[in-house]
Amino acid sequence: MKLEDLYWNPFVGWLIFKKPQWSSNTWALRKASVRCALELALEERPSDPDILAAQEALKLETAEGTKKNSTETSATKAKAFPTADRLRIFAALSLGRSTRARELKDWLRATCVAGLRPIEWRSAVLVPPERGYVAKMVVANAKAGNDRAHGELRTLRWRDLSRDTWEAISRTIAIAQTFSSDTEYNTYCRKLQELLHDYSHRLWPDRIEHFALYSCRHEAIASAKRIYAREEVAAIFGHATDDTCMSHYPRKKNGESRGGLDEVPIPDPDEVARVRLRADASLRRVAELADRDESSATQSAPNVDRDAAQEEATLDPFPTPPLKDERLEQERKRFGAKMWLDYSKQSKLGFDALDRSIEKKRDRSREQEPEEPHGPGFRTKLSKEE
């Protein structure tokens, strides 16, 4: 379905109807996404009553009424898998009668070290390592097809790997390759997940978050963050850019302590270089967009005395924002080099939406209250609304 075919007002009504099922963070994220889409749709159809009504309804909707303790999907899945908890689960599995107990123990041990996505175990291959390494694995990146990986393959190497971990990795690969299709393997993974879910609830019945198979990948990424730069982490775990591991995975404080990091894989230098090239290209595209917008604005706008404009802006409750290239530079300094790439993807749309929002609020205020000055708390109120 295309955006131009969407009836926005009923869609926003459905979004508001679903709000009580989501946490405040989930609601804020989805509201921001829809507001951005509405801004883009409004550029195509500036006077469309359906879009204007939807925009106004969504603007007035706050986070009040959202679920405080969400029990939906990822809200109940642990984003880390500490060693102490793994050992408790291993002990419980050893005492149990499940025929898949050993397979689950191997899967957890191997994935907490290698950090593979569940489906990637089917393509993993152990190959003879180079001199100075004890193990080497080549994996097909699961998300390479939609340009969300740095390449078709990634390579993991270890200089230190315990025999138990190496055997767990070997058995996990061997079992994954016995299945003839991804569908069969996914069914097998669901059975492992059910077993893990059962033991997690038995051992910690009062917890809100429980362990899932994907918790192992989260644990591996958090551990790698403690010793590697962000582009190296992206290369190890198959991400196309270095902002994915920072935005969608736990912080490094959730990973293993320094003493438990010996088995973290070593990134491949060529793959790290590919991640850096993509990051540099993204920054160049942002700079080019900013330069193009600035040049077009300069050609179309009349010459105005900058000092007079700045003096007028200080008296205006809706000050005219600085030029886009100036704001981009300000945000670079504010966020730092490591956080800039993640932020820059939304900068152009965000700045354009901010400009339009300020202009609308300025016009509306002058129409409604042309003679009364704004109160002392007006600016604070405005910032909260935005």
Side-chain angles (χ1 to χ4, degrees):
M1 186 179 197
K2 298 181 180 180
L3 288 180
E4 54 265 25
D5 299 330
L6 183 66
Y7 290 97
W8 286 103
N9 206 21
F11 175 75
V12 168
W14 170 84
L15 189 74
I16 295 173
F17 173 77
K18 296 283 289 183
K19 183 178 71 170
Q21 303 178 23
W22 299 326
S23 65
S24 58
N25 289 339
T26 301
W27 164 252
L29 178 64
R30 294 179 178 177
K31 178 182 177 181
S33 300
V34 175
R35 287 188 67 179
C36 181
L38 283 169
E39 290 286 349
L40 295 175
L42 202 59
E43 291 180 357
E44 300 292 332
R45 294 175 286 172
S47 58
D48 191 318
D50 177 55
I51 299 176
L52 293 173
Q55 192 177 45
E56 189 64 23
L58 190 61
K59 177 184 175 182
L60 297 175
E61 199 67 27
T62 65
E64 185 178 357
T66 54
K67 185 178 289 187
K68 293 184 178 179
N69 295 317
S70 176
T71 58
E72 300 291 331
T73 58
S74 62
T76 62
K77 295 179 181 177
K79 304 303 187 294
F81 211 146
T83 301
D85 290 345
R86 289 205 303 275
L87 293 177
R88 286 194 63 183
I89 288 180
F90 290 168
L93 287 169
S94 299
L95 296 174
R97 298 181 178 180
S98 174
T99 57
R100 300 190 184 278
R102 181 178 178 180
E103 295 173 11
L104 179 58
K105 289 168 63 176
D106 285 343
W107 204 100
L108 299 179
R109 187 190 300 273
T111 310
C112 282
V113 171
L116 271 62
R117 301 177 179 92
I119 197 62
E120 289 177 338
W121 282 111
R122 293 200 67 230
S123 65
V125 179
L126 287 172
V127 298
E130 295 89 347
R131 190 172 185 177
Y133 298 97
V134 298
K136 178 180 178 181
M137 181 195 298
V138 179
V139 187
N141 288 318
K143 297 185 178 180
N146 54 5
D147 201 32
R148 293 175 61 186
H150 55 64
E152 293 291 333
L153 304 172
R154 70 179 185 271
T155 304
L156 307 180
R157 296 180 177 88
W158 288 270
R159 285 198 174 95
D160 189 5
L161 198 65
S162 68
R163 184 174 183 82
D164 289 341
T165 302
W166 188 88
E167 291 178 350
I169 291 174
S170 301
R171 288 192 293 264
T172 301
I173 293 175
I175 292 174
Q177 293 177 349
T178 61
F179 296 94
S180 59
S181 66
D182 290 347
T183 302
E184 292 181 3
Y185 181 68
N186 287 334
T187 301
Y188 168 76
C189 287
R190 280 197 296 272
K191 292 179 181 179
L192 293 184
Q193 173 59 54
E194 291 170 1
L195 182 60
L196 176 59
H197 179 272
D198 183 37
Y199 274 88
S200 181
H201 279 265
R202 287 186 193 179
L203 294 172
W204 301 281
D206 297 330
R207 284 187 180 180
I208 296 176
E209 294 183 349
H210 287 276
F211 298 117
L213 294 183
Y214 221 88
S215 301
C216 301
R217 179 171 168 85
H218 283 273
E219 177 66 22
I221 292 178
S223 297
K225 286 181 180 181
R226 295 179 67 92
I227 56 177
Y228 291 126
R230 51 190 293 155
E231 61 271 13
E232 294 173 320
V233 177
I236 293 174
F237 299 103
H239 294 141
T241 62
D242 57 353
D243 63 327
T244 304
C245 59
M246 298 298 164
S247 303
H248 303 287
Y249 288 90
R251 299 176 182 176
K252 61 184 180 181
K253 68 178 182 180
N254 293 339
E256 295 284 4
S257 62
R258 173 61 67 175
L261 300 177
D262 295 336
E263 295 185 337
V264 174
I266 298 170
D268 184 270
D270 294 337
E271 295 167 6
V272 174
R274 287 202 296 267
V275 174
R276 285 174 176 159
L277 283 175
R278 186 179 287 250
D280 293 341
S282 297
L283 288 175
R284 285 196 299 271
R285 284 197 298 270
V286 171
E288 289 171 0
L289 285 173
D291 292 340
R292 186 179 63 185
D293 290 345
E294 170 61 18
S295 61
S296 61
T298 304
Q299 293 174 1
S300 60
N303 293 327
V304 180
D305 186 356
R306 181 176 292 273
D307 293 334
Q310 290 180 349
E311 182 178 357
E312 181 182 356
T314 59
L315 302 176
D316 194 338
F318 300 95
T320 302
L323 297 176
K324 285 186 175 61
D325 60 340
E326 296 176 1
R327 282 181 287 167
L328 289 171
E329 186 59 30
Q330 291 172 7
E331 295 303 329
R332 280 196 190 94
K333 295 178 180 178
R334 174 183 165 205
F335 279 80
K338 290 186 178 180
M339 293 298 294
W340 169 243
L341 179 60
D342 180 52
Y343 179 79
S344 63
K345 289 183 177 180
Q346 306 174 19
S347 61
K348 184 177 184 299
L349 289 177
F351 287 143
D352 292 343
L354 178 63
D355 293 341
R356 289 192 293 271
S357 177
I358 290 177
E359 289 294 337
K360 290 177 183 178
K361 286 184 172 65
R362 181 191 291 116
D363 296 340
R364 190 182 301 120
S365 175
R366 288 171 177 169
E367 289 176 2
Q368 294 176 355
E369 299 178 336
E371 297 181 358
E372 289 189 18
H374 297 288
F378 182 77
R379 187 180 300 276
T380 304
K381 180 180 179 182
L382 175 60
S383 64
K384 290 181 179 179
E385 290 179 352
E386 294 179 343

